[in-house]
Amino acid sequence: GVMERLGLGPEVLLQENPRLIYARLTGFGQTGKYAKSAGHDINYLALSGVLSKLGRKNENPYAPVNLLADFAGGGVMCALGIVIALFERARSGRGQVIDASMVEGVAYLSSFLWKSQSLGLWSQPRGENLLDGGAPFYEIYRTSDGKFMAVGAIEPKFYNQLIKGLGLNLDELPAQMSFSDWPEMKKKFASIFAQKTQAEWCSIFDSTDACVTPVLSFEDAASHPHNKERSSFIKNDQGEMSPRPAPVLSRTPGVPSCKRDPFIGEHTEEILLEYGFTKQEIDKLHSDKAIELKDIKANL
């Protein structure tokens, strides 16, 4: 209702320009019991049903920072909605309103979880299934130097290479999908991974299809040979690293800026002057705390 109070709701603006695409990104959506309620990523994740699936066995559900609802179910899904609306407008010549709910966005993102329930992938309690920490071959293990290795050897041919890399004999182990043996196998794998450093495990698994990779810090990810070869991370003029835009388009790839991020309020006055505001009007907006301007005084 904020835009309506400003007289800038979609009904008003679409009358001015019927081709307008008006995206509304909120936590709970434009209608429903919670439509006007406050919330954050963890709340949207909870209401979507997804949070109930995340976390270790015998522990509380665990929210993975604010990536899923805010950015994936929210920002990315909203951007996809805009792209779809642009594509449709090319045919109809008409715009429309996008109701992007983070609850629904992250729920739709989790369609695989819903659709695969009948396959038995999620028949056990949280933390006891194939992909949520139950399987010994889809798990994260600590190394002797306090780092970690990620294991995702689901298919038998990959699992066989995992077993070989660990120095075990497949014939002397329980069947890969013997659920009752998973807890004991996890202990065995954990004990073996704890005997070597992350670098030593990388030297064993890097040239295989065992689906075993190091768990890298941001700094290590930026300097990893694979990522460096693809220029997956870029450095700005202040020496700060960040991911390169993805995915990479063959004909019109995104060209990232190597300039530092602007300070809060750094360009506010410049932009408002460009749009016709007077210096007096800008000063009034600043004194009313409606805008922020860059602090021109040195902070000593």
Side-chain angles (χ1 to χ4, degrees):
V2 174
M3 296 302 286
E4 280 79 3
R5 290 198 297 274
L6 295 172
L8 298 172
E11 293 80 7
V12 173
L13 297 188
L14 280 165
Q15 283 185 351
E16 294 288 328
N17 179 8
R19 291 176 55 84
L20 182 69
I21 293 164
Y22 193 112
R24 314 198 80 170
L25 175 57
T26 57
F28 299 109
Q30 295 299 312
T31 58
K33 180 179 179 180
Y34 288 176
K36 296 186 182 299
S37 299
H40 279 295
D41 183 287
I42 196 169
N43 307 118
Y44 314 140
L45 202 57
L47 203 64
S48 73
V50 176
L51 186 56
S52 70
K53 298 293 186 183
L54 307 178
R56 292 285 183 180
K57 178 182 177 181
N58 297 326
E59 293 184 8
N60 294 349
Y62 184 80
V65 292
N66 66 324
L67 290 175
L68 280 182
D70 279 353
F71 296 109
V76 173
M77 286 296 190
C78 184
L80 180 60
I82 293 170
V83 171
I84 293 169
L86 285 167
F87 181 76
E88 194 281 335
R89 188 178 72 181
R91 298 181 175 185
S92 69
R94 298 171 60 197
Q96 55 187 309
V97 180
I98 298 166
D99 181 0
S101 155
M102 295 187 202
V103 173
E104 293 168 359
V106 75
Y108 186 56
L109 195 68
S110 72
S111 295
F112 165 70
L113 304 184
W114 293 81
K115 300 288 187 179
S116 62
Q117 289 182 99
S118 60
L119 302 179
L121 291 179
W122 313 103
S123 56
Q124 302 301 314
R126 184 180 64 251
E128 297 181 29
N129 299 280
L130 180 68
L131 300 176
D132 64 1
F137 49 85
Y138 202 88
E139 180 60 287
I140 298 163
Y141 294 100
R142 183 184 291 270
T143 58
S144 64
D145 54 347
K147 297 182 180 181
F148 300 92
M149 297 298 290
V151 177
I154 298 175
E155 292 80 359
K157 62 181 180 180
F158 301 152
Y159 181 72
N160 293 349
Q161 294 195 45
L162 166 66
I163 296 304
K164 181 180 178 181
L166 292 176
L168 297 171
N169 187 336
L170 193 65
D171 297 332
E172 298 174 357
L173 300 174
Q176 179 184 356
M177 299 305 292
S178 176
F179 299 100
S180 60
D181 291 302
W182 279 3
E184 203 56 42
M185 290 297 291
K186 286 181 72 170
K187 292 178 183 177
K188 181 185 288 288
F189 288 2
S191 173
I192 296 173
F193 271 107
Q195 294 171 20
K196 289 182 172 65
T197 66
Q198 185 186 72
E200 288 173 326
W201 285 119
C202 286
S203 68
I204 291 172
F205 286 114
D206 267 4
S207 59
T208 73
D209 280 335
C211 301
V212 179
T213 49
V215 177
L216 302 176
S217 65
F218 275 12
E219 182 179 356
D220 289 339
S223 61
H224 189 276
H226 174 81
N227 295 333
K228 286 185 70 175
E229 186 177 336
R230 287 183 52 81
S231 301
S232 300
F233 296 87
I234 54 177
K235 184 182 292 186
N236 69 11
D237 56 12
Q238 302 293 302
E240 300 166 329
M241 299 295 297
S242 62
R244 180 189 64 183
V248 181
L249 278 63
S250 64
R251 187 169 52 80
T252 58
V255 180
S257 169
C258 289
K259 295 182 179 180
R260 63 163 174 79
D261 293 339
F263 300 119
I264 293 175
E266 181 173 358
H267 303 116
T268 303
E269 184 172 0
E270 175 186 341
I271 291 169
L272 291 178
L273 286 170
E274 185 180 321
Y275 272 84
F277 286 77
T278 66
K279 185 69 170 64
Q280 292 73 26
E281 288 173 326
I282 294 172
D283 290 341
K284 180 69 166 58
L285 287 169
H286 186 233
S287 65
D288 291 342
K289 298 184 177 180
I291 61 171
E292 287 195 50
L293 299 176
K294 179 184 176 183
D295 183 9
I296 58 174
K297 297 178 181 178
N299 294 315
L300 301 177

